[in-house]
Amino acid sequence: MLSSLSRLTRPQAIALCALPVVALLAVAGFAPLPFAVAQPGGTADVLGKYEGKPVLKITGAPTRDTKGELRMTTIVATGPQMDVRLGDVIDGWFRTDRAVMPKEAVYPVGDNEKEVEEHNLGDMKESQDDATKAALAYLKANGVDGTDKVKVDADLGKIGGPSAGLFLSLGIIDKLDGDGSGGDLTGGRTIAGTGTIKADGKVGPVGGVAMKTQGAWRDGAKVFLVPKAECGDAQAELPKGMKLIPITTLSGTVDALRALEKGEKVPSC
């Protein structure tokens, strides 16, 4: 082989040696890779309707008519059984409205689409329960009467996962008590964001915040509530003119929204 190469010109030798690499890349271009490609998904106003149905149904206490919007955000990703090729990965890396993530980070329960959907809906149900507990505990701690009789049903269709928890809590608080002084928690604005919630009111991180800020901006939000630990990720592709407010607890989030409404200083990333 070496004697054969020695009789070739330099360009011919380089071309010959490159053939296996070209062949390998060609095969890689058609081989499925263990990645998922995500992009901004839809948003839903928890104070309004989703797919024609009220997101929040509250019984046991009078509710307020609200102004403004509280928009929970989502991402959409290639399905667990969908093949992602090298070209898709390269395209995703170079686009600001796409993100390439390991498939196991998006679908930790495997490739069965039905199991994935059931898992995500289970997470959503648990998140709804924690969101209700956190909101009612907050209201009770702040002197709002009658919370013991309140029941909440949340309906976001087939949207799964726990990342709407914070906004479900905020929606319950706004519908029952507003900003606590007769006004709206939103101040009439379109507020978007994301974050898990625990029954004790602690806000946790989620995934895909850079994609979610873009979806929020597309749907009219100029303020985005983000778990503090994910400020850096949210700033990566932040739309120009969007305000980020870092949050860690439900009570701190309400305080920040009140300050925003009054034109006072609010936390920033």
Side-chain angles (χ1 to χ4, degrees):
M1 178 66 178
L2 290 175
S3 60
S4 299
L5 286 175
S6 65
R7 292 195 296 270
L8 299 175
T9 63
R10 180 178 175 80
Q12 288 174 329
I14 292 174
L16 181 62
C17 292
L19 285 175
V21 177
V22 172
L24 182 62
L25 290 175
V27 171
F30 291 98
L33 299 173
F35 295 104
V37 180
Q39 64 185 43
T43 68
D45 176 22
V46 301
L47 298 174
K49 295 182 178 181
Y50 181 72
E51 295 182 344
K53 299 178 181 179
V55 174
L56 292 172
K57 295 180 181 179
I58 301 175
T59 57
T63 57
R64 309 172 58 253
D65 291 329
T66 58
K67 295 180 180 178
E69 298 179 353
L70 286 169
R71 288 198 163 269
M72 56 80 63
T73 53
T74 68
I75 61 171
V76 292
T78 49
Q81 294 180 326
M82 185 177 294
D83 289 340
V84 173
R85 313 274 180 189
L86 181 62
D88 302 317
V89 173
I90 294 173
D91 180 61
W93 273 332
F94 285 96
R95 291 181 60 167
T96 60
D97 62 343
R98 298 288 188 276
V100 178
M101 297 179 285
K103 184 177 286 187
E104 65 267 20
V106 182
Y107 301 109
V109 296
D111 291 340
N112 185 291
E113 292 189 9
K114 185 176 181 180
E115 288 181 359
V116 168
E117 181 178 332
E118 290 176 351
H119 174 80
N120 287 340
L121 290 176
D123 280 350
M124 173 62 81
K125 180 62 171 65
E126 183 177 351
S127 176
Q128 292 171 3
D129 293 342
D130 284 345
T132 299
K133 292 174 183 176
L136 296 182
Y138 171 86
L139 291 170
K140 185 175 182 179
N142 284 270
V144 178
D145 295 327
T147 57
D148 293 339
K149 300 179 180 179
V150 169
K151 292 184 179 180
V152 180
D153 289 320
D155 187 353
L156 281 165
K158 291 190 176 181
I159 295 178
S163 64
L166 170 65
F167 270 67
L168 292 174
S169 288
L170 293 174
I172 294 167
I173 292 171
D174 202 12
K175 281 187 169 292
L176 290 174
D177 193 47
D179 64 357
S181 301
D184 294 294
L185 196 55
T186 63
R189 297 177 174 85
T190 297
I191 308 287
T194 190
T196 64
I197 193 91
K198 294 295 185 182
D200 63 3
K202 291 181 181 178
V203 175
V206 295
V209 291
M211 300 290 99
K212 291 179 178 180
T213 59
Q214 295 180 54
W217 182 263
R218 176 202 63 211
D219 290 353
K222 293 182 171 59
V223 177
F224 193 92
L225 307 178
V226 61
K228 187 175 181 179
E230 295 182 298
C231 272
D233 291 343
Q235 289 173 320
E237 302 295 344
L238 188 68
K240 186 177 181 180
M242 174 168 274
K243 182 178 184 61
L244 282 180
I245 300 179
I247 38 92
T248 58
T249 65
L250 178 58
S251 61
T253 305
V254 174
D255 289 344
L257 291 176
R258 286 173 174 168
L260 183 68
E261 181 184 359
K262 296 176 181 176
E264 299 172 353
K265 185 177 181 180
V266 298
S268 60
C269 287

